[in-house]
Amino acid sequence: MADATATQHPPIAQAHLPAKVFEELEIVKDPANLFHQTIEQVLIAAQLVGLAHHQQIILAQPHNEIMVHFPVLMDDGHHDLFKGYRVQHNNALGPYKGGIRYHPDVHLDHIKALAVLMTMKCSLVRIPFGGGKGGVKCNPRDLSRDELMRVTRRFCSAISNQIGPDYDIPAPDVGTNAQIMAWFADTYAQMTPEHERHDTLRIVTGKPVVMGGSLGRDKATGQGMVNVFKEMLPELGIDIDKMSFSLIGFGNVGGWTGRLLVELGASLRAVLDHTGAIHNDQGINPNALADHVSQTGGVGGFNEAEAISEQEFYGVPVDVFIPAALEQMITSRRAKLINARVLAEAANAPTTPEGDAVLTQRGIEILPAILCNAGGVTVSYFEWVQNRSAMYWTAEEVDHRLNIHMVLAARRVKLARVKYECDMRTASYCAALERIGKVYDLRGVFP
Ligand code: GLU
């Protein structure tokens, strides 16, 4: 495409533009497909900001979709074949960046959607990364520690030619953690010539602190949520120190968000995870709950709260409802039950388009995922910078810098909302796309 087209944007508001892009790319839209849902939402925002047509086409598909199969020796002596993915969506703003997930439901279109969201997220918080995502189809709860290590090492070796510390940098996501990043980094180092190994730490972020991880990375997504809340909630009439909230998920993101909010005076009323739902109107102690979860694997059976049904959980009255687990959990049926003023998306894409419509129609404000949960990748960026410079920051320095990125991102979303007269989710994509569009306008498209 000629450079001249890069600066001549087509008229805004061409009706059904996402459908036209789908048609052009021969994507047969499946309304239940997360990738299709995500691309559609991004294209609606692209239309609002007047993103050039060729840029929309570029963003509607990932650059690279890598799929690997690799055998792993299991503890009982047999070999299982595992399926892994790495999707590299866009690197116009910097190296591909995004987590690696271990989950039985991992499949290509899911990873593609999550990679798109990483491109949007990194652009929104103005860090010099593009978007990627990876995963291995497995249930980490069914694997022994040794099996988990062997899966990780084989997966790393299977994709090692496709990633790099300045090219594509994985991180933890659902089902993975700092230990897995340590095995991943070690395997990558072993596969690198010895005289180049000094610089391989940056191949992943979210490493243990003793192995080049950043202080504050563990709590970063939760901390970023809190920073966004401080910027957004008072304007919505909610005081953090008096607010009540409920959580879906009590893993890294839910656990930290819960603890940090309660430290500020908020009251955690209900939690749901794969082991059950619990409720306490007097407030749940998140530290005691975190101990219980680390001993038993879930919130079910926590004796300082009453067990409730899933249906009851959604109806617990709170100021802020926070899904911090998997995608597509807030369906229209569940959205009808939610009894909150604000839904803050700590998980990636937790709300289906139908759920979104119900919440909007009921006047429940949605704080979108690419803003709310961007703290994790922001501190990943800090980790990468620290590894590169071999100079390490204090926890205060990390917190201070994270706060700047999160507050400015929240303000960008608020401005975009007014400028484009749209909902908060569309505004978050608009704010992200404005930057990507400017960069593509300047770079043009090779040749
Ligand atoms: N998995 C996290 C996310 O979805 C973090 C990604 C990263 O740090 O690269 O944002």
Side-chain angles (χ1 to χ4, degrees):
M1 275 164 267
D3 272 354
T5 60
T7 44
Q8 290 166 8
H9 293 176
I12 305 180
Q14 285 174 14
H16 311 305
L17 193 66
K20 277 165 80 184
V21 173
F22 273 58
E23 208 178 296
E24 198 172 328
L25 295 175
E26 296 182 8
I27 301 174
V28 181
K29 198 180 136 193
D30 168 5
N33 180 308
L34 184 64
F35 176 61
H36 296 177
Q37 292 170 2
T38 307
I39 286 299
E40 183 157 45
Q41 287 171 340
V42 168
L43 290 174
I44 289 169
Q47 191 177 351
L48 280 177
V49 302
L51 202 74
H53 181 71
H54 71 277
Q55 296 170 9
Q56 298 187 30
I57 300 278
I58 292 171
L59 292 171
Q61 287 286 16
H63 288 176
N64 305 312
E65 300 171 18
I66 300 148
M67 225 189 288
V68 293
H69 292 95
F70 53 94
V72 175
L73 177 67
M74 308 307 280
D75 290 347
D76 66 3
H78 86 284
H79 287 87
D80 258 358
L81 193 69
F82 286 81
K83 196 183 190 72
Y85 304 89
R86 186 71 187 168
V87 171
Q88 295 161 340
H89 174 253
N90 190 277
N91 63 351
L93 302 180
Y96 302 109
K97 184 83 191 82
I100 289 180
R101 141 177 325 201
Y102 289 180
H103 194 275
D105 292 338
V106 157
H107 59 262
L108 183 60
D109 271 4
H110 225 89
I111 299 290
K112 280 165 69 172
L114 295 166
V116 174
L117 292 175
M118 288 308 303
T119 302
M120 296 296 131
K121 204 184 295 187
C122 294
S123 178
L124 175 63
V125 287
R126 304 297 193 256
I127 58 176
F129 286 139
K133 199 80 170 196
V136 175
K137 193 173 170 58
C138 67
N139 188 347
R141 291 195 183 97
D142 293 345
L143 299 175
S144 70
R145 185 183 154 87
D146 277 358
E147 288 169 340
L148 207 53
M149 180 187 73
R150 289 195 292 271
V151 166
T152 302
R153 289 193 184 281
R154 275 307 296 248
F155 178 53
C156 174
S157 87
I159 62 165
S160 60
N161 286 335
Q162 321 272 359
I163 57 173
D166 291 304
Y167 177 64
D168 182 2
I169 305 129
D173 196 75
V174 174
T176 53
N177 55 26
Q179 171 63 79
I180 289 174
M181 295 307 113
W183 289 324
F184 197 102
D186 178 67
T187 310
Y188 191 82
Q190 301 307 319
M191 303 187 70
T192 306
E194 206 155 354
H195 61 280
E196 290 167 22
R197 265 185 214 165
H198 64 279
D199 198 30
T200 54
L201 265 185
R202 289 184 296 121
I203 188 59
V204 277
T205 56
K207 298 177 291 287
V209 172
V210 289
M211 231 185 107
S214 177
L215 291 173
R217 175 62 184 87
D218 212 24
K219 66 161 187 169
T221 311
Q223 185 63 57
M225 292 279 299
V226 171
N227 298 345
V228 169
F229 283 179
K230 284 189 180 163
E231 183 63 28
M232 309 286 260
L233 290 183
E235 290 171 22
L236 299 171
I238 297 175
D239 296 331
I240 298 186
D241 54 352
K242 295 188 195 76
M243 78 177 207
S244 57
F245 67 106
S246 53
L247 281 166
I248 304 182
F250 207 77
N252 172 288
V253 178
W256 274 109
T257 304
R259 274 172 283 176
L260 294 169
L261 286 174
V262 169
E263 261 172 40
L264 293 174
S267 170
L268 174 59
R269 296 284 163 82
V271 187
L272 169 80
D273 76 0
H274 63 286
T275 61
I278 57 170
H279 171 229
N280 187 341
D281 253 343
Q282 303 310 307
I284 294 168
N285 177 337
N287 295 314
L289 183 59
D291 290 344
H292 174 80
V293 170
S294 69
Q295 281 156 24
T296 66
V299 302
F302 182 59
N303 61 14
E304 293 173 35
E306 55 162 342
I308 53 170
S309 69
E310 189 196 307
Q311 174 108 354
E312 288 167 326
F313 166 79
Y314 283 98
V316 171
V318 283
D319 295 309
V320 182
F321 184 97
I322 308 175
L326 289 170
E327 296 78 37
Q328 295 181 304
M329 291 199 69
I330 309 304
T331 57
S332 59
R333 182 181 66 81
R334 290 170 177 157
K336 283 181 196 141
L337 300 172
I338 289 175
N339 194 351
R341 291 152 74 188
V342 171
L343 180 128
E345 299 183 333
N348 289 310
T351 313
T352 67
E354 296 78 20
D356 200 315
V358 171
L359 294 173
T360 307
Q361 184 254 325
R362 295 185 57 214
I364 298 173
E365 187 75 70
I366 302 171
L367 302 184
I370 65 159
L371 170 64
C372 283
N373 72 27
V377 72
T378 302
V379 178
S380 275
Y381 163 55
F382 298 162
E383 178 175 333
W384 184 82
V385 168
Q386 291 171 75
N387 291 163
R388 227 167 111 132
S389 65
M391 285 277 289
Y392 285 84
W393 306 352
T394 60
E396 290 71 28
E397 174 92 37
V398 171
D399 272 356
H400 172 69
R401 288 179 184 254
L402 173 63
N403 189 51
I404 294 173
H405 279 269
M406 298 308 297
V407 168
L408 291 180
R411 289 184 188 162
R412 251 169 234 133
V413 174
K414 288 192 278 187
L415 285 173
R417 186 185 207 188
V418 175
K419 181 169 169 192
Y420 299 108
E421 297 177 3
C422 59
D423 60 86
M424 208 88 92
R425 184 188 313 287
T426 309
S428 70
Y429 292 139
C430 287
L433 288 167
E434 278 181 339
R435 177 170 176 231
I436 296 172
K438 269 188 205 139
V439 171
Y440 268 119
D441 284 349
L442 291 164
R443 289 172 65 141
V445 175
F446 175 84

